[in-house]
């Protein structure tokens, strides 16, 4: 535990815990909406924000947040109105964001590709006190949205048409989801990196789904996995001198493989137990519920 004596590791661990909470908390809605790669696209756009931050001598985290939010809103607008050429527009947005970030950071007086690398793949030693403050504030916003509006966001993620019929502001909630995803990307970029953050938003959710299909249980397990792998990856990167982002993602994939291997025999055991519990004779779907036999009819 000697790493706790260093302030940069204290900051890195705090940032890692916040990333472990926020990334799966947003990712569960993206997985439900079949937009698992949305975080990757926002990460490309955020690179322009990082480059602008260096060029204007402003906080790269806050500038990346602003640019990412604008990019996420534009992505939603393209999804709504760009029915035919929307994929081409999104591709130009993503790759333009990446190219813009590289160009701007090289034009900055104190910028270089080395600066950009720490944002692309994460870096423990570069997490400053101002970064931690920004991450705490942004993470608080993400947690408030994902927990406070979980019923509405889940309804829209499951079935937009049904949510619209029930009177929910579907477009506003879709925009809020996109904005929250953009904020999460900037929260995670100092620890995991812009190019790898999407994995931390999606893979813990997929791993949790191997054990349960309940939304609440999946949410809780995904967040628990996120916290575990971010702390484990951060500590491992300190002792082994390996990139934190890559370490965290590999641990996340390892957790998915382990839970998948565990879930398969458990599912078979539950199926056998369910089959053994069924009464002999009539199939389960034809069985008459207890207390309904007297009049010869089954109540519907």
């Amino acid at each position: 535990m000697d790493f706790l004596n260093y302030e940069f590791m204290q900051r890195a661990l705090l940032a890692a815990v916040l990333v472990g909470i926020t990334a799966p908390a947003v990712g569960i809605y993206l997985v439900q909406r079949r937009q698992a790669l949305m975080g990757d696209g926002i990460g490309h756009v955020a690179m322009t924000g990082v480059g602008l931050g260096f060029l204007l001598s402003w906080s790269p985290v806050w500038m990346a947040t602003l640019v990412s939010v604008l990019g996420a809103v534009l992505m939603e607008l393209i999804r709504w109105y760009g029915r035919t050429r929307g994929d081409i527009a999104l591709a130009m947005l993503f790759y333009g964001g990446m190219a813009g970030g590289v160009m701007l950071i090289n034009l900055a007086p104190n910028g270089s590709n080395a600066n950009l690398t720490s944002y692309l793949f994460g870096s423990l030693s570069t997490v400053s006190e101002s970064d931690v403050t920004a991450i705490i504030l942004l993470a608080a916003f993400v947690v408030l949205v994902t927990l406070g509006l979980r019923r509405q966001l889940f309804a829209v993620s499951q079935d937009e048409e049904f949510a619209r019929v029930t009177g929910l502001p579907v477009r506003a909630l879709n925009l809020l989801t996109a904005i929250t995803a953009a904020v999460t990307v900037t929260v995670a970029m100092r620890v995991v990196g812009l190019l790898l953050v999407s994995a931390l938003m999606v893979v813990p959710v997929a791993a949790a789904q191997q054990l349960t299909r309940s939304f609440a249980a999946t949410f809780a397990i995904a967040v628990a996995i996120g916290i575990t792998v971010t702390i484990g990856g951060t500590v491992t990167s300190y002792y082994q001198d390996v990139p934190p982002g890559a370490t965290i993602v590999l641990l996340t994939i390892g957790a998915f493989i382990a839970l998948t291997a565990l879930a398969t025999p458990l599912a078979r055991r539950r199926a056998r137990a369910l089959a053994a519990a069924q009464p002999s004779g009539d199939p389960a779907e034809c069985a008459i519920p207890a207390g309904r036999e007297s009049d010869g009819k089954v109540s519907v």
Side-chain angles (χ1 to χ4, degrees), residues 3-4 8-18 230-231 234-235:
F3 57 85
L4 292 177
F8 80 92
M9 278 301 295
Q10 296 172 9
R11 294 192 296 266
L13 284 171
L14 177 58
V17 170
L18 294 175
T230 50
I231 293 177
T234 301
V235 174

Side-chain angles (χ1 to χ4, degrees), residues 24-291:
V26 174
I28 191 170
Y29 300 108
L30 299 183
V31 171
Q32 294 290 331
R33 290 155 58 97
R34 292 178 175 83
Q35 293 180 332
L37 295 179
M38 184 177 186
D40 188 54
I42 294 175
H44 285 67
V45 176
M47 290 175 61
T48 294
V50 173
L52 274 175
F54 278 98
L55 184 64
L56 302 177
S57 299
W58 203 49
S59 168
V61 174
W62 287 113
M63 185 61 76
T65 302
L66 176 61
V67 173
S68 296
V69 168
L70 293 175
V73 171
L74 185 56
M75 287 170 62
E76 275 298 302
L77 293 176
I78 291 173
R79 191 172 73 90
W80 293 342
Y81 302 112
R83 300 292 182 184
T84 56
R85 313 288 290 189
D87 56 338
I88 297 176
L90 287 175
M92 289 191 294
L93 178 65
F94 296 163
Y95 298 122
M98 178 180 290
V102 173
M103 181 63 69
L104 289 171
I105 203 167
N106 279 278
L107 293 175
N110 298 320
S112 67
N113 288 334
N115 298 126
L116 189 59
T117 300
S118 67
Y119 288 90
L120 291 177
F121 302 104
S123 175
L124 295 180
S125 60
T126 58
V127 180
S128 64
E129 291 185 6
S130 61
D131 289 336
V132 171
T133 301
I135 290 171
I136 291 173
L137 294 174
L138 295 172
F141 167 78
V142 172
V143 171
L144 285 174
V145 170
T146 54
L147 289 180
L149 296 175
R150 61 188 182 279
R151 296 183 184 278
Q152 295 90 332
L153 294 177
F154 176 76
V156 173
S157 300
Q158 286 291 100
D159 191 335
E160 285 191 8
E161 293 302 323
F162 177 77
R164 187 174 287 107
V165 169
T166 60
L168 290 175
V170 172
R171 287 195 171 181
L173 289 170
N174 281 335
L175 272 177
L176 184 60
T177 301
I179 291 170
T180 307
V183 171
T184 303
V185 168
T186 56
V187 168
M189 70 180 181
R190 302 302 279 135
V191 177
V192 185
L194 292 172
L195 295 184
L196 298 174
V197 62
S198 184
L200 195 59
M201 297 171 75
V202 173
V203 180
V205 177
Q209 287 178 338
Q210 303 304 307
L211 299 180
T212 178
R213 289 294 184 267
S214 163
F215 176 80
T218 300
F219 189 101
I221 294 173
V223 170
I225 294 171
I227 295 173
T228 301
V229 298
T230 50
I231 293 177
T234 301
V235 174
T236 301
S237 66
Y238 170 78
Y239 282 111
Q240 302 299 324
D241 192 24
V242 291
T247 306
I248 290 170
V249 171
L250 289 175
L251 287 176
T252 309
I253 295 173
F256 173 82
I257 294 172
L259 290 180
T260 301
L262 177 64
T264 301
L266 288 177
R268 291 174 179 171
R269 186 177 302 174
R270 284 196 296 265
R272 288 196 298 266
L274 182 61
Q278 297 296 338
S280 59
D282 291 335
E285 63 270 17
C286 298
I288 299 176

